[in-house]
Amino acid sequence: MAEQIVSEQNVFERVLDFANRADPYPLWAELRRTPVAPQADGSYVVSTYREISALRRDPRLSSDMRTAEQRAAGDMPPMLRLDPPDHDRARRLVMKHFGPPQRPTLVDDLRPELTRMVTELIDALADQDQVDIVDQFAYPFPVSVICTLLGVPRTDEPRFREWTDVLVDTLDPAGNVADRDPTKLAGLQEFIAYLQQLIADHRRHPGPDLISAMATEEAEDRLTDQEIVSTSILLLIAGHETTVNLIANGMLTFLRHPTVLKRLREEPTMIIPAVEEVLRYEPSVQMIPWRKTLDDVEVAGTTIPKGAQVILALAAGNRDPLVYIRPDAFDIDRGAQHLSFSGGIHYCFGAPLARLEAQIALGQLVDRLENPTLVTDPPPYRPSPVLRGPRHLMVGVDRIT
Amino acid sequence: MVRPGNWNRILKWVKIDQVGDEIVIAQGSVEARRFVAVYGHHGRITATVSFDQGMWLDFWRDQIEDAAPFPPRFALVGAPTDGPVEVRPSGFPEPNVPSHEATVVVTGHAPSDRRARFAQVH
């Protein structure tokens, strides 16, 4: 048994190891043989579909990883890392400005604006025979979208790249970089100060954006400025980095499957199921590392003790052979569900927007890039094993129409 | 047989045919109108009703299918905020009451023998 634990620990450590970032899937498959895998540090990795699916709706799992001291100090994390009732309140107060019933058409109304942004970005590539899909397309697009949504001036967009990189690093279960690196910590403080200023500005001169809506809310129950800051940070990471990765992972996957690429050019509406299959096959969020048990929880015959960290390996569950036929095949006709937006009370707030962004972005790329080819396969990857995606995606093209 | 059902978008339930004679608020707050109530019978969970908390029902359905112990004693997120958790009688009428919804019940077997009876609940 001790020997088994050591080998399981090694599999997950190899997933975290940057050397395996390009293809973690054989390791996820190995890990799935032990659906609930205890780790040397006392955490448990859950990697099978059925078990992940049940745990994401299990109230015995908390998303609040604050220590007693952090709690006493009034440290308020974003709703993604809070439990009810605080989570429910925060989510309700933000969601009311983002979707039904109050703003049912908000996402769909963005369609012409998103199409315009994508068209302009691709127009700008016209005279190149080689493009970096990440730096020149996938990165700037969601930044513009989230800035439009939050009401951040376009001129401030370049500063967001550095801040977002800092925030993404803090989610790495292998090490909390922001805690150790004073430069990154300073960057975070700078970003918070910027957001506080933005809230104050929007309160004086409100626009049609989300920050204005939250800052000028007149109902008695409303978000504090600190909560608006943490919500904005959350929407920025969650709405941005994940979408960059979804677009880049999508284009990479299409280029590796030329028959799919050809079919998408002939049948443009297939982009909708194709995006769903990308979400299953190459999820931007590979795992959710911030859950802990409030009680002993039995999962697939293993008891996870109270107080243990639980890592939900969404990317592993998405290729569980008990659920999917030929799980490692990229098949846009599959019509299958996936775990990539999680579920239960923390189900991805921005899923409708992410889907629309990816459908428009990938749809136009497929349509307008003539004979696209991968220059380097695999491409270089970003450091994070949690929010996983290419750092660059160099694509050669004959012509851009 | 575990059956799900819903009254509207807000009020949903899962139950088995067994009646639940005890009730406990398992999550949320009746005061805040967001809660999960769990019914029990002979120390087993038999039904659950959620009000504006439907996202937790799948978990409680699994508890019903497993005939999990009642009252539930585990620690969970969104535990009741209205005070200490107490098990109360569910207040369902005795099964021999003809109906707990109608106040007048038509009885008799033949068309010529039709009578109405006032049905007092409780």
Side-chain angles (χ1 to χ4, degrees):
Chain A
M1 189 64 198
E3 200 176 74
Q4 194 191 350
I5 289 171
V6 169
S7 75
E8 283 155 8
Q9 172 210 345
N10 287 341
V11 179
F12 186 60
E13 277 186 358
R14 277 153 62 204
V15 171
L16 299 182
D17 187 345
F18 183 66
N20 294 310
R21 195 69 71 248
D23 187 12
Y25 298 102
L27 295 169
W28 285 132
E30 206 176 322
L31 199 60
R32 267 195 314 264
R33 281 191 242 142
T34 314
V36 182
Q39 304 297 307
D41 66 358
S43 65
Y44 287 75
V45 182
V46 182
S47 56
T48 43
Y49 188 99
R50 204 184 119 97
E51 283 64 36
I52 295 169
S53 188
L55 285 179
R56 60 190 181 152
R57 296 160 194 275
D58 193 321
R60 294 170 298 179
L61 257 62
S62 166
S63 296
D64 186 348
M65 305 290 273
R66 282 176 296 175
T67 61
E69 295 82 60
Q70 286 170 323
R71 233 179 269 243
D75 178 24
M76 193 51 122
M79 57 181 157
L80 182 82
R81 309 185 74 153
L82 280 177
D83 294 334
D86 293 340
H87 160 273
D88 292 10
R89 174 180 165 271
R91 180 159 172 140
R92 190 172 68 246
L93 293 180
V94 184
M95 199 64 183
K96 68 189 284 193
H97 304 296
F98 187 76
Q102 277 197 15
R103 303 282 301 271
T105 63
L106 180 117
V107 170
D108 201 57
D109 287 348
L110 287 170
R111 194 183 286 270
E113 180 71 5
L114 301 190
T115 306
R116 184 191 61 75
M117 288 175 185
V118 167
T119 303
E120 282 177 8
L121 282 167
I122 300 180
D123 286 349
L125 306 174
D127 53 355
Q128 295 176 232
D129 53 12
Q130 194 168 312
V131 296
D132 182 352
I133 295 294
V134 174
D135 279 352
Q136 296 183 280
F137 183 77
Y139 195 91
F141 173 49
V143 165
S144 301
V145 177
I146 204 79
C147 287
T148 304
L149 205 60
L150 289 179
V152 173
R154 287 290 290 268
T155 47
D156 291 344
E157 280 184 23
R159 301 163 75 184
F160 274 71
R161 172 161 216 159
E162 289 164 40
W163 286 327
T164 309
D165 286 344
V166 172
L167 296 171
V168 166
D169 283 346
T170 66
L171 293 180
D172 190 332
N176 198 339
V177 180
D179 281 351
R180 292 198 306 265
D181 186 337
T183 322
K184 292 197 166 173
L185 203 59
L188 193 61
Q189 290 307 325
E190 202 180 286
F191 185 41
I192 290 169
Y194 172 82
L195 286 171
Q196 283 164 341
Q197 187 58 46
L198 196 67
I199 293 165
D201 291 348
H202 283 40
R203 186 167 284 136
R204 278 196 301 274
H205 309 287
D209 58 273
L210 218 49
I211 286 188
S212 293
M214 291 188 287
T216 59
E217 173 72 61
E218 284 179 357
E220 198 179 317
D221 191 12
R222 57 176 178 255
L223 297 168
T224 64
D225 280 12
Q226 196 194 355
E227 287 169 331
I228 298 176
V229 167
S230 66
T231 301
S232 303
I233 291 175
L234 170 67
L235 297 188
L236 185 72
I237 314 172
H240 167 232
E241 195 72 10
T242 49
T243 315
V244 174
N245 291 341
L246 175 56
I247 294 168
N249 290 337
M251 199 58 200
L252 174 64
T253 307
F254 294 165
L255 290 168
R256 284 173 173 168
H257 297 84
T259 51
V260 172
L261 198 60
K262 183 165 174 291
R263 180 152 169 225
L264 288 173
R265 287 180 74 105
E266 288 158 5
E267 297 174 65
T269 57
M270 286 303 288
I271 196 66
I272 293 166
V275 166
E276 289 311 297
E277 179 66 350
V278 171
L279 281 162
R280 181 194 75 86
Y281 189 76
E282 287 277 14
S284 302
V285 183
Q286 291 269 303
M287 61 186 110
I288 299 178
W290 56 84
R291 291 282 189 278
K292 74 169 184 210
T293 46
L294 296 177
D295 215 319
D296 291 357
V297 177
E298 198 199 305
V299 183
T302 301
T303 299
I304 305 177
K306 178 181 174 174
Q309 182 190 358
V310 178
I311 297 157
L312 303 177
L314 308 178
N318 276 349
R319 296 196 187 198
D320 188 337
L322 289 177
V323 176
Y324 304 101
I325 297 161
R326 298 195 305 130
D328 292 318
F330 181 72
D331 177 2
I332 64 171
D333 295 306
R334 193 183 285 278
Q337 296 191 350
H338 54 73
L339 300 166
S340 306
F341 288 127
S342 188
I345 63 166
H346 294 286
Y347 178 82
C348 178
F349 181 98
L353 181 60
R355 286 186 163 117
L356 191 62
E357 285 178 80
Q359 288 161 10
I360 292 172
L362 290 168
Q364 276 207 39
L365 282 177
V366 166
D367 183 47
R368 297 182 61 190
L369 268 49
E370 296 276 332
N371 290 324
T373 50
L374 270 177
V375 175
T376 40
D377 191 9
Y381 273 81
R382 291 176 190 280
S384 174
V386 178
L387 301 186
R388 171 180 165 274
R391 177 63 194 87
H392 298 286
L393 185 64
M394 299 308 294
V395 175
V397 286
D398 286 357
R399 200 163 64 94
I400 293 168
T401 56
Chain B
M1 174 74 180
V2 177
R3 300 175 207 275
N6 61 288
W7 179 269
N8 55 27
R9 204 171 58 81
I10 301 293
L11 180 65
K12 300 169 192 287
W13 67 82
V14 178
K15 68 185 191 80
I16 52 173
D17 294 335
Q18 183 59 259
V19 70
D21 45 23
E22 291 180 303
I23 185 172
V24 69
I25 301 299
Q27 288 180 277
S29 151
V30 176
E31 174 96 0
R33 301 185 177 198
R34 294 168 62 80
F35 62 89
V36 177
V38 173
Y39 290 87
H41 180 70
H42 289 314
R44 299 286 166 197
I45 297 176
T46 56
T48 180
V49 170
S50 69
F51 195 87
D52 202 10
Q53 289 284 285
M55 65 288 254
W56 294 117
L57 275 188
D58 284 351
F59 170 78
W60 292 104
R61 179 201 59 213
D62 292 349
Q63 300 295 305
I64 296 166
E65 282 177 350
D66 294 348
F70 179 90
R73 287 286 180 219
F74 38 74
L76 38 66
V77 301
T81 46
D82 288 347
V85 177
E86 52 174 308
V87 177
R88 286 175 247 186
S90 62
F92 282 121
E94 290 299 313
N96 59 3
V97 173
S99 164
H100 55 84
E101 284 168 351
T103 49
V104 173
V105 179
V106 180
T107 58
H109 300 285
S112 61
D113 180 30
R114 186 173 283 177
R115 301 172 205 176
R117 182 162 71 82
F118 180 56
Q120 183 113 37
V121 179
H122 302 306

